Structures are given as structure tokens and as C-alpha cells.
Amino acid sequence: MEVQCHPHRYRSILRGSDSPAIHDNIPLEKLYDQLRAGVFLNNRTVKYSVENESKKNCFMLHARYFIIQRSDEPSCWKWVIEEDPSSDVVVLNVRWLDARCKFEVSILSPKTTYEVVFLIKLTPSASGWEDPVHFGVTLPDGTKQERKVNLKEKPKGEWIEIKAGEVSTSECKEGQMELFMFEHSDHWKSGLVFKGALIRPTN
């Protein structure tokens, strides 16, 4: 694993921090404990952290960071807070499942392969998942990676990691990639808890 001398663009990333205690005057050595534990950005919709040994950037994009169709309608979705201080979202009853967001590739560590992993959970009473759900990533050059996952085969009541794709910062150095999760059939669906998506280095 390639070791960085310091986290890539960490100062500019931390300008979006929700904590007033983090500012440009703090030496990097004093910031490391906070960076390893994770720092919330953009009104607690993103959590930025740094790997201990490699110093590579990691990001957790929480559900509120995504544009989720009809997520403001209480009859379709319900926002809940579990053990993590960020909010999860539960689908109560929908036919059209669609969650998307865009993320800037240039703040990922250079010369690194990242995987994009969605975090979901099915409640014990989840139903309507007869058709596969699409998970994927569209890279800045338009290349699309997509997986179809049958959630009926997944265990209920526990968090599930679903890999949607990868991005190499040796090849993609700037621009926005889009993360997406959707299922557009006419079946009524319920019982899906969506926490968000991890963008984490694999090398």
C-alpha cells in the first residue's frame, strides 16, 4: 500500500467541516486523531476520514447527501436516527425507488483504486423486492458500472454492503462521478433502510 506523506487536499476538504474547532491553524499532527475518527462535512451529510497507515482519504456519503425521489413525503419514506448521529432513511411504501448523488473525484487520494459500497438493511417485514435493484457508478468520462442485486436473497435485520463499482484515480483525476440505486418496477416495496454509500480505498 502506497503511503502518502499527508492526506490529499485535507485542508480544502476540512473547510466544509461542521466543527468550528477545526481550522487552518491547527497542525496536522494534532488533527490526525480527529481525521482517523472522522469529521462531518456539509451539515452532517458526509463523513470524511483518513486511513491510519496509508493516510488515504475515505468518505461516507450519508442518505441525506443523496437526492431520493419522494423522500420528503411521509407516506413514502421515514427519516430515523439510529446509533450513528447521522440519519438513516426507511422506505415505507413506494413503487419508484431512486437515490442518486454526485461526488467530486479530485478530493480522492491520487494513484488509488476506490470501491463504492452501498449500505442497506432490510427490516423483518420487508416486502415487494421481487425485481432486482440496480446499484452503480457513472464515472466522469461517462463509463457506467452497474450491478443488479436480488434483495430477496439477502438476510433481514442486518446491515448489508453492496459493491456498486470502482474508480481509479490514476485514470480519473477530476470531475464528478454519479452514484445511483434504483428499482423502477410497478411492485409496491417496503422495509428498506438506506444508510448511504462508502467510498474507500482498496490499495
Side-chain angles (χ1 to χ4, degrees):
M1 179 177 288
E2 181 181 348
V3 177
Q4 309 289 325
C5 59
H6 54 76
H8 177 64
R9 294 187 61 183
Y10 72 97
R11 289 293 188 191
S12 61
I13 294 170
L14 289 176
R15 291 193 185 105
S17 167
D18 295 337
S19 172
I22 297 178
H23 50 77
D24 288 347
N25 296 327
I26 299 178
L28 177 59
E29 294 73 20
K30 294 185 178 181
L31 276 176
Y32 265 131
D33 285 343
Q34 288 175 288
L35 292 178
R36 293 186 192 104
V39 176
F40 279 106
L41 312 174
N42 303 326
N43 295 318
R44 304 180 76 82
T45 60
V46 176
K47 193 172 189 180
Y48 165 54
S49 61
V50 172
E51 282 193 335
N52 187 29
E53 294 184 6
S54 71
K55 308 295 189 295
K56 291 186 177 182
N57 293 338
C58 308
F59 295 89
M60 172 67 192
L61 312 182
H62 288 279
R64 286 193 183 275
Y65 185 79
F66 283 72
I67 297 173
I68 303 174
Q69 295 295 320
R70 304 184 72 178
S71 62
D72 58 343
E73 298 183 23
S75 61
C76 296
W77 296 85
K78 178 183 178 182
W79 291 96
V80 297
I81 297 177
E82 293 200 339
E83 68 280 356
D84 195 282
S86 58
S87 293
D88 307 316
V89 61
V90 180
V91 52
L92 298 179
N93 205 19
V94 298
R95 285 192 298 182
W96 188 276
L97 171 70
D98 198 295
R100 299 171 186 270
C101 73
K102 291 186 177 181
F103 186 83
E104 178 56 50
V105 171
S106 64
I107 61 175
L108 300 177
S109 298
K111 300 179 182 179
T112 302
T113 298
Y114 280 84
E115 63 178 359
V116 177
V117 178
F118 279 73
L119 294 174
I120 64 169
K121 179 166 61 176
L122 295 169
T123 65
S125 60
S127 64
W129 303 101
E130 286 78 10
D131 294 300
V133 177
H134 299 244
F135 296 87
V137 180
T138 303
L139 301 179
D141 64 0
T143 302
K144 182 180 288 188
Q145 304 170 25
E146 188 173 323
R147 289 186 61 199
K148 296 179 182 179
V149 179
N150 186 350
L151 297 187
K152 288 186 70 175
E153 298 175 351
K154 300 298 181 181
K156 294 183 176 181
E158 60 186 64
W159 289 108
I160 304 165
E161 293 191 355
I162 297 179
K163 183 175 177 178
E166 291 187 345
V167 55
S168 168
T169 54
S170 297
E171 301 171 4
C172 295
K173 297 177 179 160
E174 59 183 18
Q176 291 186 321
M177 62 178 180
E178 182 184 51
L179 287 59
F180 59 85
M181 170 182 72
F182 70 87
E183 201 280 274
H184 293 165
S185 73
D186 287 333
H187 290 115
W188 286 99
K189 295 168 279 288
S190 65
L192 175 73
V193 185
F194 176 43
K195 181 174 283 292
L198 283 165
I199 303 175
R200 63 191 180 194
T202 61
N203 68 314

